[in-house]
Amino acid sequence: MSALSFRFGPGPLRKEEGAFLDQSHSLRGTAMSKRIQAKHKLDRRMGQNIWGRPKSPVNRREYGPGQHGQRRKGKMSDFGTQLRAKQKLKGYYANITEKQFRRYYAEAIRLRGDSSENLIGLLERRLDAVVYRAKFVPTPFAARQFVNHGHVKVNGRRVNIASFLVKPGDVIEVKDSSKQLEIVVVASQLAERDVPDYIEVDHAKMTARVTRVPSLSEVPYPVQMEPNLVIEFYSR
């Protein structure tokens, strides 16, 4: 494990849309948790379908939440634009905490090269991000819980830290006892997104390998992300 991965602890576990639930729990098709509402609220606030999900409320209405959601918006300040970019990128990765996200920024500017590209590379190397990209689960939120519940191995060893940083060449595998879980089987067949080129996946064996750290242009975000504005926000 890298030194950086030890500093990033997993967040609290919550029941949510698309999240992994223990088999002792039943799946509630109509239940709305606070986390689901918060995800939908973020989509509406941004006016974009952040995760590209079919059930996003933005698919029906693009204005913001609340009674003032349809008000005409004035020109946003530079600070507001940067803050919005940060909220969107942070929210995309299952609402990473501000403390963790700031640490990613600090590491991104410490590394050689373009800081915004470094930031994206760090985020995409998170174990939960790789599990999501490999289509082992349907959402980033599900990926975090799936890892936290101990269903994933890295190079043959069980890792339950969602923020563990995967290195190119590492092999990520779903545990044998978890490969037939309904959420895993369904996720691998989702047609709404494809596995990116920088990850090799064998869904028959439920294994994945990161071939390289991706650049911003290679990451299949459903919406435009602006990590350069995030760097500017924290550099103020």
Side-chain angles (χ1 to χ4, degrees):
M1 294 186 185
S2 68
L4 186 61
S5 66
F6 280 109
R7 296 203 300 268
F8 298 154
L13 303 183
R14 300 181 179 91
K15 296 179 185 178
E16 58 199 43
E17 179 194 34
F20 171 78
L21 302 177
D22 285 331
Q23 289 180 305
S24 59
H25 293 294
S26 62
L27 294 174
R28 300 182 180 90
T30 58
M32 285 288 286
S33 69
K34 290 183 179 179
R35 172 51 51 206
I36 294 174
Q37 293 170 346
K39 287 196 300 184
H40 288 175
K41 189 174 182 179
L42 180 61
D43 269 2
R44 291 180 62 193
R45 183 187 303 140
M46 297 297 166
Q48 295 176 305
N49 187 348
I50 304 299
W51 296 278
R53 297 290 289 166
K55 294 184 179 180
S56 172
V58 176
N59 296 340
R60 300 188 301 272
R61 53 188 182 275
E62 296 183 355
Y63 52 85
Q67 61 179 332
H68 304 300
Q70 298 186 65
R71 280 186 174 179
R72 180 178 297 177
K73 296 178 175 62
K75 184 178 180 181
M76 192 173 293
S77 65
D78 289 343
F79 174 81
T81 302
Q82 294 163 1
L83 176 61
R84 184 184 180 91
K86 186 203 75 166
Q87 290 173 330
K88 185 164 60 173
L89 187 61
K90 185 160 71 81
Y92 178 84
Y93 289 93
N95 282 343
I96 297 174
T97 66
E98 179 63 24
K99 185 176 181 180
Q100 284 185 339
F101 202 65
R102 186 177 287 273
R103 285 175 176 169
Y104 283 117
Y105 157 75
E107 181 66 9
I109 62 174
R110 187 189 68 82
L111 296 172
R112 290 183 177 180
D114 184 276
S115 296
S116 59
E117 292 283 353
N118 291 340
L119 178 60
I120 296 300
L122 289 168
L123 292 171
E124 283 294 304
R125 285 174 55 202
R126 283 177 58 100
L127 180 57
D128 57 352
V130 176
V131 167
Y132 170 64
R133 295 291 184 214
K135 294 178 66 174
F136 292 157
V137 290
T139 71
F141 297 86
R144 177 183 293 177
Q145 286 196 335
F146 195 68
V147 174
N148 287 342
H149 281 251
H151 295 275
V152 177
K153 292 181 178 180
V154 179
N155 297 330
R157 299 180 61 183
R158 186 172 69 92
V159 178
N160 61 359
I161 301 175
S163 58
F164 173 79
L165 292 184
V166 175
K167 300 187 297 292
D170 285 350
V171 176
I172 295 83
E173 177 185 7
V174 177
K175 284 175 52 180
D176 288 340
S177 59
S178 306
K179 291 179 180 179
Q180 297 305 314
L181 289 173
E182 182 180 1
I183 192 172
V184 176
V185 175
V186 171
S188 65
Q189 300 172 355
L190 287 175
E192 64 191 50
R193 59 189 175 90
D194 297 320
V195 177
D197 292 340
Y198 51 90
I199 297 179
E200 294 179 350
V201 178
D202 185 337
H203 281 125
K205 297 180 179 179
M206 283 296 167
T207 61
R209 187 173 70 89
V210 177
T211 59
R212 64 182 183 278
V213 178
S215 62
L216 173 60
S217 61
E218 293 179 295
V219 181
Y221 293 118
V223 297
Q224 182 181 6
M225 294 295 180
E226 299 169 297
N228 57 306
L229 296 181
V230 178
I231 298 299
E232 291 176 9
F233 175 85
Y234 284 118
S235 300
R236 296 176 70 90

